[in-house]
Amino acid sequence: MVLDAVRTAFEKGLLPSNQVPEFEVETPKYEGQGDFSTNFAMVSAKLQKMAPAKIAKSLVESMSDSTHTHLGPVLEKIEVAGPGFINFFLSPGAWHPVVDQVLNQDASFGASAMGRGQLVQVEFVSANPTGPLHVGHGRGAAVGDAVGNILSFAGFDVQKEYYINDSGRQIRTLGTSVWLRLQQMQGKTVDFPQDCYQGDYIRDIAQEVFATRGKDLADADEKQGIEICARFAAGKILAGIRSDLDDFGVRFDNWFSEQSLYDSGRVQTAIENFKEKDLIYEKDGALWFRTEKFGDEKDRVVVRNNGLTTYFASDIAYHDEKYERGFDRVIDVWGADHHGYIKRIDAAVVATGRKSEQFDVILVQLVNLLRDGNPVQMSTRAGEFVTLKDIVDEVGKDAARFMFLSRSYDSGLDFDLELAKKKSSDNPVYYVQYVHARITGILNKAKDEGLIDQTDFKTGSHLEKLVAEEELKLIKLIAGFREQVEKSAETLHPHVIFTYLMTLASAFHAYYNHHKVIIADKPLSLARLSLVLAVKKVIRNGLALLGVSAPERM
RNA sequence: GCGCCCGUAGUGCAGUGGAUAGCACGUCAGCCUCCGAAGCUGAAGAUCGCUGGUUCGAUUCCAGCCGGGCGUACCA
């Protein structure tokens, strides 16, 4: 249409040139600036050697002349504004079908085909099974889970995975810790080293292992004993992690064992393959992977001079295995303290023949735990931490998840325990959930009064009655939901959905305070009920992406 | 030193290559005989860290600098 106008204007001699630079058509930031707007006049100012406002004026005149058929039911008004924007205003009737769409598509409204079924794996949490999950893991869990949900809604085929570090030194240390506590329980005086896990849960596990495996332990020497303790403890802790995540609403499609990479020989194979390609060399008795060739600062050790493999070795094998499983794209969610690891893994991914674009790392900045504004020191080793379970038990799953997703993971997050524990209206989750509960209340009342047969229906009625400013604002917001889902999926930023929900909730609350839904004018009332039901569904769909429930009442 | 992230209102954070920089909390003033006041309306509050550059136009992109966080192992 704009192009048409340019041609017409040129032919009529209003513009000196018919060349068309790159321009954009977008939704303006503020109300009163139309539904679509283009910066065409501004970007072509140089080319046309004319003032943007003058170009815009010529274009609008041409459009009114040549495309008058477009004006009418859909297009209401075209105007020139600001430094030369051309704003297009749609008529209310153009928006009404959106309400029907929401009611019809229900839980799938907002879904997108953007991902074209691409296989994506999101790996997150992946905490070592050496202690319970703490608050920091909670943020990673909330982010990973939400990213998975959003990608899936945006048309990707998503698998969520947890990588279990069930081999290596930490597990041995865990075994030793339990073993030593066991010795202490039996009255032996043993030194409990600093680098062992200090938490009370180690004692609990020691008691359990004694109760269930005491007989085997009695016959075991120290090495066997530690092995038994390690396996028992890891299993026990992992079960706890699973259950904590379950309470947090996070479910994984797959739990992948690091040990299995060793058992199947994949780690060894990966190293051999790299050796053959001359990507691994020996120095000082250790094996080094040439990560520097792939942009890392320096080469990294995969096998130490004592013959033991590093974590990096199994990570190479692990990522290779992921792509071999058929994933087009792999996303790892890590804590910010692991950022130095990105280049390394990226190098491994590229070295096995994949493209760097197929690998993404979401770096979640650290959670700063506070209590009444004062920092809480946390260390797994010292056994002093606030667990994810503590948080969920005290503030609830919904509030915790919403809090974690309320801001970009690019920023550090202050999580104040006392504040989070407060069930006050400070918590934004109530603001959004309240909309859902409020609308449920309205629909129930409408049903009681016989206005509607059921509180859920698929077709709106008398939608043409929705002409109030607040109503159109709501409809336009609803219409933009899918765009937000796509934006969120593209940027891998779940807080986009959070911000959207807050905006939608705010618009609804304002509407509610200005207009009654259940009124004497029955057609208008039915139209408003349709709108309100649509809002309810969008709120529910959005909350679902974040893993937050949409309560019928609160 | 090097690398990553952040610097926007009193506080915590959104946002954008363009037209009036938003939200929440906090402060002040209002709104329930009326579908849920966990809500709404209004007011006050910001030289978008600093300096350059690219651009018709920069808070947004780039470079440098200054602050803050994190990392920088043959640890995991």
Side-chain angles (χ1 to χ4, degrees):
Chain A
M1 182 170 159
V2 174
L3 295 176
D4 262 3
V6 174
R7 202 175 51 233
T8 315
F10 175 65
E11 283 162 6
K12 283 162 55 175
L14 288 169
L15 291 178
S17 165
N18 64 348
Q19 281 184 289
V20 177
E22 275 197 35
F23 66 98
E24 283 166 17
V25 177
E26 56 187 10
T27 312
K29 211 160 30 167
Y30 300 98
E31 291 171 57
Q33 294 174 355
D35 295 308
F36 300 100
S37 103
T38 178
N39 60 352
F40 180 87
M42 275 127 70
V43 294
S44 30
K46 204 173 190 178
L47 200 68
Q48 304 283 4
K49 296 196 168 47
M50 278 172 75
K54 216 170 161 191
I55 299 173
K57 194 161 167 269
S58 309
L59 288 176
V60 170
E61 278 167 17
S62 302
M63 278 187 253
S64 321
D65 289 355
S66 67
T67 61
H68 58 276
T69 44
H70 287 108
L71 286 168
V74 178
L75 210 51
E76 197 175 65
K77 184 171 74 161
I78 306 174
E79 67 170 27
V80 178
F85 289 99
I86 303 172
N87 296 334
F88 304 87
F89 293 78
L90 297 186
S91 47
W95 291 103
H96 292 148
V98 173
V99 174
D100 262 337
Q101 276 174 36
V102 179
L103 300 184
N104 246 298
Q105 297 173 14
D106 203 8
S108 63
F109 179 82
S112 160
M114 187 180 108
R116 300 186 317 273
Q118 239 187 92
L119 274 174
V120 180
Q121 187 211 48
V122 185
E123 182 220 317
F124 56 106
V125 187
S126 301
N128 292 338
T130 54
L133 298 177
H134 55 71
V135 204
H137 295 125
R139 191 178 192 191
V143 167
D145 195 44
V147 166
N149 293 343
I150 290 162
L151 286 175
S152 173
F153 204 52
F156 292 86
D157 189 347
V158 178
Q159 193 187 68
K160 299 175 188 169
E161 181 156 302
Y162 187 115
Y163 180 58
I164 311 163
N165 292 120
D166 52 4
S167 99
R169 204 172 66 87
Q170 293 228 32
I171 293 295
R172 284 197 300 280
T173 306
L174 176 67
T176 308
S177 306
V178 174
W179 172 258
L180 291 176
R181 287 296 186 215
L182 203 57
Q183 304 307 307
Q184 288 177 337
M185 279 161 48
Q186 289 165 350
K188 294 179 194 159
T189 312
V190 290
D191 193 32
F192 197 81
Q194 266 294 311
D195 63 353
C196 277
Y197 297 102
Q198 310 285 326
D200 288 339
Y201 64 93
I202 296 292
R203 290 178 216 269
D204 299 341
I205 291 172
Q207 272 183 3
E208 272 187 69
V209 74
F210 181 72
T212 54
R213 300 289 301 273
K215 210 170 170 191
D216 301 330
L217 284 167
D219 302 335
D221 61 23
E222 180 169 328
K223 196 177 165 212
Q224 290 168 324
I226 289 176
E227 175 67 22
I228 291 172
C229 287
R231 247 202 306 254
F232 182 89
K236 193 79 203 163
I237 290 170
L238 195 61
I241 288 175
R242 277 181 194 247
S243 128
D244 289 352
L245 285 169
D246 207 58
D247 293 342
F248 196 49
V250 175
R251 277 168 201 72
F252 287 92
D253 299 308
N254 197 30
W255 295 72
F256 192 94
S257 153
E258 179 191 12
Q259 185 61 47
S260 75
L261 291 168
Y262 285 99
D263 296 345
S264 66
R266 287 204 75 104
V267 177
Q268 218 33 58
T269 313
I271 292 173
E272 294 304 324
N273 284 343
F274 279 6
K275 266 188 192 162
E276 272 173 37
K277 294 189 207 165
D278 192 34
L279 291 170
I280 282 182
Y281 62 93
E282 197 176 331
K283 192 181 88 183
D284 304 332
L287 291 183
W288 300 70
F289 174 27
R290 301 185 191 278
T291 48
E292 201 180 330
K293 250 182 85 175
F294 298 90
D296 200 2
E297 295 165 33
K298 55 178 186 177
D299 294 342
R300 307 288 176 178
V301 169
V302 287
V303 181
R304 290 184 268 165
N305 62 11
N306 61 8
L308 295 176
T309 50
T310 60
Y311 252 33
F312 184 37
S314 46
D315 277 337
I316 293 169
Y318 178 40
H319 283 81
D320 185 42
E321 198 274 350
K322 289 186 184 196
Y323 291 102
E324 225 165 82
R325 267 190 269 164
F327 294 111
D328 301 312
R329 196 172 162 200
V330 166
I331 299 170
D332 288 6
V333 180
W334 298 346
D337 52 341
H338 286 68
H339 80 257
Y341 225 68
I342 297 177
K343 283 231 176 82
R344 214 170 301 185
I345 300 293
D346 193 65
V349 167
V350 173
T352 54
R354 278 85 186 194
K355 294 199 191 89
S356 187
E357 300 83 70
Q358 290 177 275
F359 177 63
D360 282 299
V361 175
I362 290 179
L363 265 196
V364 181
Q365 294 298 315
L366 301 181
V367 177
N368 195 13
L369 200 63
L370 305 173
R371 186 180 290 281
D372 280 331
N374 302 311
V376 176
Q377 292 302 322
M378 290 212 304
S379 152
T380 314
R381 284 282 159 83
E384 191 189 303
F385 42 65
V386 176
T387 63
L388 174 61
K389 184 173 167 32
D390 292 339
I391 301 285
V392 172
D393 287 349
E394 289 177 38
V395 312
K397 170 197 90 145
D398 288 341
R401 289 186 73 134
F402 216 58
M403 186 82 90
F404 282 131
L405 297 170
S406 66
R407 48 203 57 165
S408 165
Y409 49 70
D410 289 334
S411 297
L413 177 73
D414 283 342
F415 199 112
D416 194 305
L417 286 166
E418 295 310 315
L419 205 73
K421 277 181 199 167
K422 269 191 227 159
K423 288 213 167 167
S424 74
S425 56
D426 298 355
N427 205 325
V429 72
Y430 299 116
Y431 189 75
V432 177
Q433 287 186 324
Y434 187 47
V435 172
H436 195 266
R438 231 179 184 183
I439 293 175
T440 306
I442 297 171
L443 291 164
N444 283 335
K445 185 172 175 189
K447 190 185 166 202
D448 290 345
E449 295 187 3
L451 251 174
I452 48 178
D453 298 332
Q454 46 193 352
T455 53
D456 193 8
F457 44 90
K458 301 291 177 204
T459 310
S461 44
H462 303 91
L463 297 180
E464 73 284 350
K465 292 264 184 188
L466 301 173
V467 291
E469 190 188 321
E470 292 88 349
E471 285 165 344
L472 289 171
K473 188 175 172 186
L474 270 178
I475 296 174
K476 288 175 189 178
L477 275 172
I478 286 170
F481 180 48
R482 187 172 65 202
E483 198 184 322
Q484 295 301 311
V485 170
E486 288 175 348
K487 183 179 166 195
S488 179
E490 210 175 296
T491 60
L492 302 177
H493 272 291
H495 80 271
V496 168
I497 301 296
F498 170 89
T499 306
Y500 172 77
L501 286 172
M502 291 296 283
T503 308
L504 180 58
S506 164
F508 173 78
H509 285 312
Y511 173 60
Y512 178 90
N513 275 273
H514 285 94
H515 302 280
K516 279 203 73 173
V517 173
I518 298 171
I519 46 174
D521 180 348
K522 193 172 172 192
L524 180 57
S525 200
L526 287 173
R528 287 182 171 170
L529 283 166
S530 307
L531 171 61
V532 143
L533 177 59
V535 172
K536 175 178 165 174
K537 286 176 188 290
V538 174
I539 291 278
R540 181 205 55 200
N541 291 1
L543 285 174
L545 293 177
L546 305 184
V548 177
S549 69
E552 300 281 303
R553 68 175 67 85
M554 325 174 32

